[in-house]
C-alpha cells in the first residue's frame, strides 16, 4: 500500500502550467494572461508561497521561455513537460525532481483566485487521510470536472466531456487543487490510460483509481470563486472581475465607500483608507495607496501612486507614479506622471501635466500648464499656459521656481533657469535667464495700437 501524506514530510507546491490554452485563441502563453493586473501564474505562485510551501515546482511546456523570463526570480524550479499529454502526465514529470517522500500541493496555473488560507486548510484536511482535493459549488460549472462525493470522501471525478446528463447536472466541481502524497501518487500516474475522448492522461483518472483504495477527503470551498478556472476569454474576464469584487468588498469592510462597486476597479494590492469615497468609473491599480477621507470622482485613473489624507481628485484625472500630499486638489482632467510630487495643499487644475517635478506646499497651477523637471517653492502661483521648456532636443534641464513666486500666464521657462523667491514674470514672457528674488521679468515686444484702424481699412476696401 502506498504511503499516505504525513504532516512531517516537506510541503512542495507543484503548479501545472504547461497547457496550451488554445481556447484563449491567443499567441501569449495562457498563464501569462493577467487577472486584476498580474499574470495568473504570479497569483498562483504567491498563494503557494504564502501557504508555506518549501519548494515551488512549475511544470511548463516546450517553448515556455516567455513564461520563465516573466518569472526571473529565485526559488522557482522549472520542470519541462515536452509534450502536453494531460494533467496526469504533467504531474508525473516532477517525480525525478523530488528526491524523497513529500506532500505535493498541486495547483493549476489557470486557477488564479485561490487564497493561501484555503491551501492551508486543504493541507490540514489531508492529514490523517491519503489525500485531499478542493471542490466547489458553481452556478455555471461549464467545462469543469464534476465530482461525486459520499460522506465527505471522493468517489469519482468525471470530466465534463465524458459525463452523463445526470453527472453534468451536478454543480459540484473539481477545483483542480489537491494535496497528494509522493511517491504514492506516482504509482497511479504510471498506470494511466489515455482518455478515450481527448487521448490525454488525466490526473483525475489517477485520483479515481486511488479513491477506490484510499480515503481522499473532499474539501468544500467556502468561496466558490476560488475555483474559477480560466479556459477561455469569458473565464478570464470572470476571474478578473471576481478578484476586483473581492477587493471592493474588503475595502467596504474597512470603511471605504464605493458608490457603484460594479463600476469601480480596485486591484488586490491597492490600499485605501477609511472614509474615502470612490465614485463610479474609478480605476486604482498597481501599488497605489490612498489615504483616509479622500474623494475620487468619476473616471479617475491611478497607478503606482501615493495619496495622503483628504485629497480630492476631480473627474477624469490620470495619476501614474505620483505622490500627492494631504489636502491636495487635483483635476478635473489633470495628468500627474512619474515623479510628480505635490506637497500638502497644492492644487493642480484642468489640463495641467506634471512630470518629475515637486510642487511645494500650497502651490497653485490652475489651468493648462506643463511642469516637467521642476522644483516649485511653497505658495508659488503658476499662471495658465505656463510651460517649462525642459528639453533642448538632447537633454532634459531643470526649472527652479522660488517660494511665493508669481509666474504670469503663458510664461515659457527655458530650462535650465531659476526664478527667485517672490519674483514675478510678465504674462507671455519667454524667460531664458535667471530672475533674482523679488524682481519682475518681462520679455515681450511693445504693443502697437493703431487708433481708428478698422474704419481706415473699410475705406480702403470700398
Ligand atoms: C482540469 C481538471 C478538471 C477540473 C479543472 C479545474 C483534469 C483532467 N481535469 O480540467 O477536473 O475541474 O482542471 O480548473 O485534470 N496542464 C499541463 N500539462 C498538460 C495539460 C494541462 O501542465 O498536458 C496544466 C494546464 O496548464 C492547466 C492545468 O494543467 O494549468 C489544467 O489543465 P486544463 O487542460 O486546463 O484542464 P481542465 O480541462 O481545465
Ligand atoms: Ca483549466
Amino acid at each position: 500500500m502506498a504511503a499516505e501524506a504525513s504532516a512531517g514530510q516537506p510541503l512542495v507546491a507543484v503548479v501545472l502550467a504547461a497547457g496550451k490554452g488554445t481556447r484563449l485563441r491567443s499567441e501569449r502563453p495562457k498563464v501569462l494572461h493577467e487577472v486584476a493586473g498580474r499574470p495568473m501564474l504570479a497569483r498562483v505562485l504567491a498563494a503557494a508561497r504564502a501557504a508555506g510551501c518549501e519548494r515551488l515546482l512549475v511544470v511548463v511546456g516546450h517553448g515556455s521561455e516567455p513564461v520563465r523570463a516573466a518569472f526571473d526570480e529565485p526559488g522557482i524550479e522549472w520542470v519541462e513537460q515536452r509534450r502536453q499529454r494531460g494533467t496526469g502526465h504533467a504531474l508525473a514529470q516532477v517525480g525525478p525532481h523530488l528526491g524523497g517522500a513529500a506532500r505535493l500541493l498541486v495547483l493549476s496555473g489557470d486557477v488564479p483566485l485561490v487564497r493561501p488560507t484555503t491551501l492551508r486548510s486543504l493541507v490540514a484536511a489531508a492529514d490523517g487521510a491519503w489525500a485531499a482535493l478542493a471542490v466547489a459549488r458553481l452556478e455555471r460549472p461549464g467545462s469543469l470536472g464534476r465530482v461525486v462525493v459520499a460522506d465527505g470522501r471522493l468517489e469519482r471525478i468525471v470530466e465534463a466531456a465524458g459525463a452523463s446528463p445526470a453527472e453534468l447536472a451536478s454543480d459540484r466541481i473539481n477545483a483542480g487543487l489537491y494535496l497528494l502524497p509522493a511517491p504514492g501518487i506516482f504509482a497511479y500516474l504510471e498506470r494511466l490510460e489515455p482518455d478515450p475522448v481527448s487521448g490525454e492522461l488525466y490526473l483525475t483518472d489517477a485520483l479515481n483509481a486511488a479513491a477506490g483504495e484510499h480515503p481522499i477527503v473532499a474539501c468544500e470551498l467556502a468561496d466558490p470563486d476560488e475555483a474559477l478556472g480560466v479556459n477561455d476569454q469569458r473565464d478570464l474576464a470572470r476571474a478578473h472581475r471576481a478578484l476586483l469584487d473581492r477587493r471592493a468588498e474588503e475595502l467596504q469592510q474597512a470603511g471605504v465607500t464605493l458608490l457603484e462597486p460594479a463600476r469601480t476597479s480596485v486591484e488586490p494590492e491597492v490600499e485605501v483608507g477609511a472614509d474615502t469615497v470612490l465614485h463610479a468609473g474609478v480605476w486604482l491599480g498597481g501599488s497605489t495607496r490612498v489615504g483616509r477621507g479622500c474623494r475620487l470622482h468619476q473616471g479617475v485613473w491611478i497607478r503606482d501612486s501615493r495619496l495622503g489624507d483628504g485629497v480630492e481628485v476631480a473627474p477624469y484625472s490620470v495619476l501614474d507614479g505620483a505622490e500627492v500630499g494631504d489636502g491636495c486638489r487635483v483635476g478635473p482632467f489633470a495628468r500627474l506622471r512619474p515623479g510628480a510630487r505635490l506637497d500638502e495643499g497644492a492644487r493642480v487644475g484642468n489640463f495641467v501635466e506634471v512630470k518629475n517635478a515637486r510642487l511645494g506646499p500650497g502651490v497653485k497651477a490652475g489651468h493648462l500648464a506643463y511642469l516637467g523637471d521642476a522644483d516649485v517653492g511653497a505658495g508659488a502661483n503658476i499662471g495658465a499656459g505656463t510651460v517649462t521648456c525642459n528639453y533642448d532636443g538632447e537633454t532634459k534641464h531643470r526649472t527652479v521656481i522660488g517660494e511665493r513666486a508669481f509666474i504670469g500666464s503663458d510664461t515659457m521657462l527655458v530650462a535650465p533657469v531659476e526664478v527667485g523667491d517672490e519674483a514675478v514674470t510678465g504674462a507671455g514672457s519667454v524667460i531664458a535667464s535667471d530672475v533674482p528674488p523679488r524682481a519682475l521679468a518681462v520679455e515681450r515686444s511693445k504693443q502697437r495700437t493703431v487708433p481708428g484702424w478698422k474704419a481706415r481699412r473699410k475705406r480702403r476696401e470700398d
Side-chain angles (χ1 to χ4, degrees):
M1 182 175 137
E4 62 188 29
S6 126
Q9 291 165 355
L11 183 62
V12 176
V14 178
V15 182
L16 307 184
K20 292 183 283 283
T22 39
R23 280 198 274 153
L24 279 173
R25 308 256 185 276
S26 157
E27 294 288 317
R28 207 170 357 153
K30 178 179 182 172
V31 294
L32 289 188
H33 281 264
E34 291 177 6
V35 285
R38 292 180 73 187
M40 279 192 259
L41 182 56
R43 300 215 166 271
V44 175
L45 289 173
R49 274 201 195 95
C53 294
E54 285 154 56
R55 290 172 66 188
L56 286 177
L57 276 65
V58 183
V59 181
V60 285
H62 187 66
S64 63
E65 284 71 28
V67 179
R68 295 181 198 218
F71 294 91
D72 184 19
E73 54 197 74
I76 300 178
E77 299 172 62
W78 301 101
V79 176
E80 190 171 283
Q81 181 194 21
R82 279 175 191 280
R83 282 182 51 222
Q84 280 63 72
R85 296 179 55 206
T87 48
H89 180 254
L91 181 58
Q93 306 310 304
V94 309
H97 299 266
L98 286 177
R103 292 172 296 158
L104 303 182
L105 181 61
V106 179
L107 304 101
S108 290
D110 64 352
V111 180
L113 269 66
V114 62
R115 291 185 173 90
T117 48
T118 302
L119 295 176
R120 275 188 227 112
S121 43
L122 188 66
V123 172
D127 199 16
W130 190 76
L133 89 162
V135 301
R137 298 208 129 124
L138 286 188
E139 268 175 43
R140 282 178 289 187
S143 64
L144 296 174
R146 307 300 199 270
V147 181
V148 183
V149 176
D151 291 336
R153 276 178 58 167
L154 173 70
E155 274 200 352
R156 63 179 191 284
I157 308 169
V158 205
E159 288 310 302
S164 67
E167 287 164 337
L168 266 188
S170 160
D171 62 352
R172 197 181 260 138
I173 62 93
N174 171 21
L177 307 166
Y178 321 89
L179 192 290
L180 304 174
I185 187 65
F186 294 111
Y188 294 98
L189 294 175
E190 276 160 25
R191 278 183 250 138
L192 277 177
E193 293 287 337
D195 177 80
V197 181
S198 67
E200 292 192 355
L201 300 169
Y202 285 166
L203 172 56
T204 45
D205 284 342
L207 288 172
N208 287 341
E213 298 166 12
H214 309 286
I216 300 180
V217 179
C219 277
E220 190 141 333
L221 299 177
D223 174 7
D225 278 355
E226 289 187 68
L228 283 176
V230 174
N231 291 331
D232 58 27
Q233 296 284 351
R234 287 195 314 172
D235 296 336
L236 187 67
R238 217 172 275 150
H240 172 79
R241 190 67 238 174
L243 260 185
L244 299 177
D245 287 348
R246 184 189 281 182
R247 188 69 189 131
E249 277 166 34
E250 288 164 356
L251 293 175
Q252 287 173 325
Q253 303 275 349
V256 178
T257 300
L258 286 89
L259 295 178
E260 297 191 38
R263 295 172 59 204
T264 305
S265 299
V266 185
E267 287 186 356
E269 290 73 26
V270 171
E271 301 285 351
V272 183
D275 290 311
T276 284
V277 179
L278 307 181
H279 289 239
V282 167
W283 184 94
L284 305 177
S287 60
T288 295
R289 304 262 172 286
V290 178
R292 304 168 73 92
C294 298
R295 190 172 277 270
L296 310 185
H297 291 265
Q298 171 91 26
V300 166
W301 187 99
I302 305 182
R303 177 172 67 187
D304 297 338
S305 298
R306 302 261 175 291
L307 275 65
D309 298 335
V311 173
E312 177 148 7
V313 185
Y316 304 107
S317 297
V318 174
L319 284 70
D320 189 3
E323 260 182 70
V324 179
D326 295 347
C328 286
R329 273 170 55 188
V330 176
F333 300 104
R335 179 166 183 214
L336 304 185
R337 291 169 51 199
R341 188 180 135 193
L342 274 53
D343 287 344
E344 195 174 335
R347 290 189 186 185
V348 164
N350 39 229
F351 307 109
V352 173
E353 174 180 344
V354 182
K355 182 220 74 170
N356 188 28
R358 190 187 134 247
L359 274 51
V363 165
K364 286 186 196 148
H367 348 252
L368 300 161
Y370 172 63
L371 299 170
D373 303 302
D375 211 312
V376 184
N381 194 306
I382 308 295
T386 295
V387 172
T388 53
C389 310
N390 57 333
Y391 187 50
D392 59 13
E394 278 171 20
T395 19
K396 301 275 172 71
H397 303 281
R398 284 198 83 76
T399 298
V400 178
I401 297 171
E403 294 184 2
R404 294 175 303 284
F406 183 94
I407 306 299
S409 295
D410 204 24
T411 297
M412 299 294 122
L413 296 156
V414 183
V417 72
E418 184 166 344
V419 177
D421 291 350
E422 295 182 24
V424 175
T425 68
S429 297
V430 177
I431 303 296
S433 34
D434 292 352
V435 183
R438 284 167 287 282
L440 164 70
V442 191
E443 189 282 338
R444 62 184 178 227
S445 49
K446 202 164 183 297
Q447 179 173 329
R448 191 164 73 100
T449 309
V450 184
W453 179 84
K454 190 79 187 241
R456 270 166 37 198
R457 188 181 72 169
K458 198 161 188 322
R459 275 202 301 280
R460 266 207 313 273
E461 282 168 358
D462 289 343

